[in-house]
Amino acid sequence: MRSRRTVAYVIVVPLFLFGALLLSIACGPAFAQTIAGRDPAEPQQKVAKPKILPRPAGGVARAAIDEKSMRTLIDKLVACGTRLSIASWSDSSRGPGCGRDHIVARFNEIAQASGGKLQVVVDKFEGTSVRTSNKPAPMENVYAILPGTDEKLSKTVFLVSGHFDSRPSDDQDTKADAPGADDDASGVAVSVESARLLSKAAGNGNGGYRATLLFAAASGEEQGLLGSTHMVDWLKEKGYTVGGMLDDDIVGDDPAPGAPHRVRVFSGNGEIDDCDSPSRELARVVEEIDGRAAIRMVFRVDRYGRGGDHYPFYKAGLPAVRFTEPLEDYNHQHQTPRTEGGVQYGDFAKYLNAAFLGNVAQDNAEALRQLALAPAPPANVRLTGAVTPDAKVSWSAEEDSERAGFEILWRETTETRWSVYAFAESGAETVLKGVSTDNHFFAVRSVGKNGARSIAIPTEMEHRPIPGTTKK
């Protein structure tokens, strides 16, 4: 009996391994290509390769990131003891007012180095939530604004934001320390460093950016996203259209072996079908600009059961994503500093990873740079051609002497990323011969002569009644 069991075991193991090998082969790219080859080719005839312009030269170099100044700002914010938004705004040595003062001072240094191009604004308001005991509480946001140079695009704003408030375990305890190094002095440092990098380029006479850039440090995040909710209204009141919002929240720590890893970028699908919300398109363009080796897209509006300052923008239908570190350590978030059972709790600067934080700053700054250099996205993007052999894509756009043309994008309905199908110099209808409207999604984006791309605008499908009904 023992010999039979042994023989059976010897036979089963190789079969198991062989099955696993087949599964790994079946799930790989070669298998996918084999399966794709079982479908009719689309289009049936050969199509010329599309014209692909190189992306803008002069990208933000990793060596240009000033990790030392980022860490200095974080240390100054931590030294405020707490930055809980319902604590004192008038105390210059402790509380949110202390944090505000350090941020304003650093922005002013950067503004001076930019030759006065960067404009620093302190935006005071009141916010109300359960975490303010349902009573209006004073709040302040800090903005550094780099105005766009293009008359038609200067009221389009691309912004990066971190929140400078912090909190202890009890979100009502104004006496307890709340260092908040990672959550979210790290995000503030990314926003401020992006301001330094991009305003420096504009100040050196490099032509500036077509759209406006805004570098924000928000308050009231821990009291219910009060600062970012107010920011949405403030931008609207000032007449801005939000082209894209990058929220950096908890972007300083990367403790897992092998660091630095990719930063996670969260984006929600909104109310739109087929994973094509403005926020999802912003995530795709960030990944395309910075590369898959730097960006890990996560198709969720935020970490499971949690929220951040991009959420009010997202709910308003605006393109907004969240940058967050690869693997969070919850002992160092929302914790009053203490040691229990040999475990140290508290969000201290000593846990930060400078190399990872610097990478995130580069990712943000380069994404903002290219987006602010791009033409306006197309409008009225439509897909027609149902019950015909050809897909027909059309769009409109205002005249722009700096635009080279438009890229028509397509992807399988189960594919994550766009591919360029064709390049068109004008916005007239383009017929995609032999391409089914059923099997792919389509989008269009503007391309500047400098190679900068706008966010892609997915096609809006024509709504045809279901046969025999009046439903669409």
Side-chain angles (χ1 to χ4, degrees):
M1 290 296 293
R2 177 176 296 179
S3 61
R4 287 183 182 179
R5 286 175 183 156
T6 303
V7 171
Y9 181 77
V10 171
I11 294 174
V12 168
V13 171
L15 287 176
F16 172 78
L17 293 175
F18 182 68
L21 177 62
L22 288 178
L23 182 61
S24 67
I25 294 173
C27 293
F31 181 73
Q33 292 172 5
T34 302
I35 291 297
R38 300 288 295 169
D39 302 322
E42 291 186 63
Q44 290 288 330
Q45 68 280 8
K46 288 187 176 180
V47 177
K49 290 185 178 180
K51 172 183 175 182
I52 304 292
L53 272 67
R55 287 210 165 253
V60 176
R62 181 62 178 83
I65 308 300
D66 188 348
E67 294 176 4
K68 183 177 179 180
S69 71
M70 295 177 72
R71 179 57 183 262
T72 297
L73 177 59
I74 291 171
D75 288 341
K76 288 180 178 179
L77 295 176
V78 169
C80 291
T82 181
R83 304 186 304 278
L84 189 65
S85 293
I86 55 174
S88 173
W89 284 91
S90 59
D91 189 334
S92 61
S93 61
R94 182 179 177 85
C98 169
R100 172 208 58 214
D101 291 346
H102 287 305
I103 295 164
V104 170
R106 181 60 181 141
F107 271 145
N108 281 333
E109 290 175 356
I110 295 169
Q112 184 175 3
S114 75
K117 291 181 180 292
L118 194 69
Q119 303 166 5
V120 182
V121 176
V122 177
D123 177 22
K124 298 181 180 182
F125 61 99
E126 289 185 335
T128 305
S129 72
V130 173
R131 293 182 181 179
T132 66
S133 301
N134 293 313
K135 297 177 181 178
M139 300 281 163
E140 298 183 23
N141 290 343
V142 183
Y143 312 135
I145 304 169
L146 190 62
T149 59
D150 188 299
E151 183 178 353
K152 291 184 178 180
L153 292 176
S154 62
K155 278 300 183 180
T156 296
V157 62
F158 293 94
L159 64 139
V160 57
S161 181
H163 69 87
F164 68 92
D165 60 312
S166 62
R167 56 158 289 184
S169 302
D170 179 356
D171 59 41
Q172 299 298 297
D173 189 348
T174 62
K175 302 299 183 183
D177 281 346
D182 197 14
D183 187 12
D184 182 36
S186 65
V188 172
V190 166
S191 180
V192 173
E193 178 65 3
S194 296
R196 186 190 71 84
L197 292 161
L198 300 180
S199 64
K200 180 179 180 181
N204 287 341
N206 292 346
Y209 305 97
R210 303 189 70 185
T212 292
L213 289 169
L214 187 150
F215 311 93
S219 65
E221 195 269 355
E222 304 291 7
Q223 268 57 55
L225 313 181
L226 299 180
S228 56
T229 299
H230 170 77
M231 204 187 314
V232 172
D233 296 334
W234 186 88
L235 289 166
K236 185 176 181 180
E237 290 170 4
K238 298 298 181 182
Y240 286 110
T241 297
V242 176
M245 187 270 189
L246 310 182
D247 173 29
D248 284 82
D249 194 350
I250 311 178
V251 292
D253 192 13
D254 188 8
H261 300 95
R262 295 188 298 171
V263 66
R264 293 183 293 171
V265 174
F266 289 83
S267 64
N269 188 42
E271 306 301 324
I272 300 176
D273 291 337
D274 309 329
C275 301
D276 280 328
S277 72
S279 294
R280 190 59 49 77
E281 294 307 335
L282 178 58
R284 288 188 173 110
V285 78
V286 167
E287 186 206 54
E288 188 172 345
I289 290 170
D290 292 324
R292 297 188 196 182
I295 303 297
R296 179 183 182 181
M297 290 195 295
V298 181
F299 282 5
R300 246 193 187 118
V301 65
D302 208 326
R303 293 84 38 79
Y304 193 57
R306 303 179 72 184
D309 278 335
H310 64 304
Y311 189 73
F313 288 82
Y314 164 75
K315 289 302 288 183
L318 303 171
V321 298
R322 174 182 181 137
F323 285 72
T324 295
E325 62 199 27
L327 191 64
E328 297 171 75
D329 188 334
Y330 303 112
N331 292 338
H332 304 148
Q333 294 178 24
H334 298 183
Q335 296 285 352
T336 300
R338 66 193 188 281
T339 299
E340 290 181 357
V343 177
Q344 188 173 40
Y345 296 87
D347 188 355
F348 295 106
K350 66 182 180 180
Y351 298 117
L352 302 184
N353 183 307
F356 174 74
L357 181 60
N359 289 349
V360 177
Q362 181 189 23
D363 296 336
N364 276 260
E366 181 59 17
L368 289 169
R369 185 185 79 91
Q370 292 199 28
L371 287 167
L373 288 171
N380 304 312
V381 184
R382 301 283 187 268
L383 173 66
T384 57
V387 202
T388 75
D390 307 321
K392 302 175 181 68
V393 179
S394 62
W395 63 93
S396 63
E398 294 186 9
E399 290 296 323
D400 185 347
S401 61
E402 297 302 313
R403 186 179 60 228
F406 305 88
E407 288 178 340
I408 301 169
L409 310 175
W410 72 331
R411 61 184 174 87
E412 289 273 348
T413 60
T414 53
E415 176 55 48
T416 301
R417 301 168 181 88
W418 294 112
S419 296
V420 179
Y421 182 88
F423 180 87
E425 293 184 357
S426 65
E429 181 179 80
T430 298
V431 178
L432 312 185
K433 290 281 189 180
V435 176
S436 169
T437 56
D438 305 330
N439 302 334
H440 298 87
F441 295 136
F442 304 89
V444 181
R445 65 184 177 192
S446 302
V447 183
K449 292 178 180 178
N450 57 8
R453 273 82 167 166
S454 74
I455 288 177
I457 305 299
T459 55
E460 182 178 329
M461 296 184 292
E462 58 181 332
H463 296 286
R464 298 165 56 88
I466 298 173
T469 74
T470 57
K471 297 181 179 180
K472 291 186 179 182

